[in-house]
Amino acid sequence: MSFVTTSDGTRIFYKDWGAGRPVVLSHGWPLNSDSWEAQQLFLADNGYRVIAHDRRGHGRSTQTWHGNEMDTYADDLASLIDALDLSEVTLVGFSTGGGEITRYIGRHGTARVAQAVLVSAVPPLMVLRDDNPGGVPIEVFDGIRAGSLADRSQLYRDLAAGPFFNGAASEGIQRAFWLQSMAAGHRNAYESIAAFSATDFRDDLAKFDVPTLVIHGDADQIVPFEVGGKASAALVKDSQLIVYPDAPHGITDTHKEQLGNDLLTFLNGYVA
């Protein structure tokens, strides 16, 4: 297995498939890089080098005690990109991973980045606040935290059977969701709930200066379209927004063929 080691000694697992201009895939909560396997295989088969990593505390990466927040996630991503000396990278982030790549651009800029893609992503800001009146009430995230402490195995089963896929996923896909989720560290996954729900990415999105594609289902029950994709597209200058009608949050599984084709079209449209 392949790892890079960050400045605090954390080992970040990654898969590196194919050859060509690099694409880096950042996964959602509480999953890992396996959740990208359909898109990673498809894009690698179509002429790209596709790298997918496990966020710290998830999958095969180190289960650290600290660093379960977006600044550290972004710095870990920078460690991966720097260690592999990647350039002209297309960053693709799903859900929490969309926050990770957005904070990466906010903290590290776009010197190595050619394009960005936000898929069912958590930016600009999920939680309801006075300055984010369309957000999701804090009680929703408190309920996820309570479920995680009480019985996180059942929480993950309920998410997979319910709002993550809106009933559009097979039993096999739901079991894969549970399996990946249980591979995350308990503390890591618990603290990451605050990272994806309460981090404000609006200043980071203002720093996007590369072609950006936003893809979001308008029936997303985890990151509502109005809070996520629609709001992000409005903040990124000249971004392209693709809405999947009646699509749930987990479109990497439920709409993998359509998503793969949309990603490939965007990648092939890049002009250096």
Side-chain angles (χ1 to χ4, degrees):
M1 293 199 293
S2 298
F3 294 88
V4 298
T5 302
T6 69
S7 59
D8 69 353
T10 301
R11 280 163 52 87
I12 302 295
F13 168 81
Y14 69 96
K15 306 176 190 178
D16 192 344
W17 295 356
R21 192 164 63 82
V23 180
V24 173
L25 306 173
S26 180
H27 63 80
W29 175 92
L31 305 172
N32 58 53
S33 58
D34 293 347
S35 64
W36 280 118
E37 63 180 17
Q39 291 75 35
Q40 189 170 16
L41 181 61
F42 176 77
L43 296 176
D45 278 342
N46 280 277
Y48 290 90
R49 179 185 178 187
V50 190
I51 297 145
H53 65 293
D54 292 353
R55 187 170 301 119
R56 69 167 55 209
H58 297 69
R60 289 136 290 200
S61 294
T62 306
Q63 293 189 9
T64 57
W65 190 250
H66 300 290
N68 305 302
E69 34 70 30
M70 284 292 170
D71 285 355
T72 301
Y73 294 163
D75 292 349
D76 289 347
L77 178 58
S79 295
L80 174 69
I81 291 172
D82 291 346
L84 299 181
D85 195 22
L86 303 178
S87 60
E88 290 191 288
V89 181
T90 296
L91 297 175
V92 184
F94 168 73
S95 195
T96 298
E100 182 177 306
I101 71 164
T102 298
R103 183 52 53 90
Y104 171 88
I105 290 176
R107 285 174 67 84
H108 299 277
T110 55
R112 291 181 179 271
V113 180
Q115 299 170 297
V117 185
L118 299 173
V119 180
S120 307
V122 298
L125 173 61
M126 284 191 72
V127 72
L128 174 67
R129 301 193 327 201
D130 290 343
D131 63 346
N132 190 42
V136 178
I138 186 67
E139 289 79 9
V140 172
F141 305 110
D142 287 343
I144 297 173
R145 276 184 276 264
S148 181
L149 293 175
D151 186 347
R152 72 183 184 115
S153 177
Q154 188 61 48
L155 169 69
Y156 299 150
R157 291 193 62 177
D158 292 344
L159 286 173
F164 200 89
F165 297 114
N166 293 6
S170 68
E171 179 68 20
I173 289 173
Q174 293 181 43
R175 291 190 180 197
F177 179 98
W178 177 88
L179 182 65
Q180 291 175 44
S181 301
M182 290 304 293
H186 192 178
R187 175 181 168 93
N188 307 103
Y190 180 83
E191 293 200 335
S192 193
I193 297 167
F196 75 69
S197 66
T199 302
D200 188 343
F201 298 100
R202 289 174 288 193
D203 289 344
D204 304 296
L205 289 170
K207 296 178 181 177
F208 277 44
D209 57 359
V210 295
T212 300
L213 173 64
V214 179
I215 299 175
H216 214 107
D218 64 8
D220 190 329
Q221 297 186 55
I222 300 293
V223 183
F225 171 65
E226 299 283 340
V227 173
K230 184 177 180 180
S232 286
L235 292 174
V236 178
K237 185 179 180 182
D238 298 328
S239 61
Q240 177 187 359
L241 173 63
I242 299 177
V243 180
Y244 287 8
D246 301 320
H249 186 65
I251 57 176
T252 51
D253 285 304
T254 62
H255 292 66
K256 58 186 178 183
E257 183 175 352
Q258 182 179 359
L259 178 60
N261 288 328
D262 284 336
L263 292 174
L264 186 61
T265 298
F266 183 65
L267 286 162
N268 289 343
Y270 172 67
V271 178

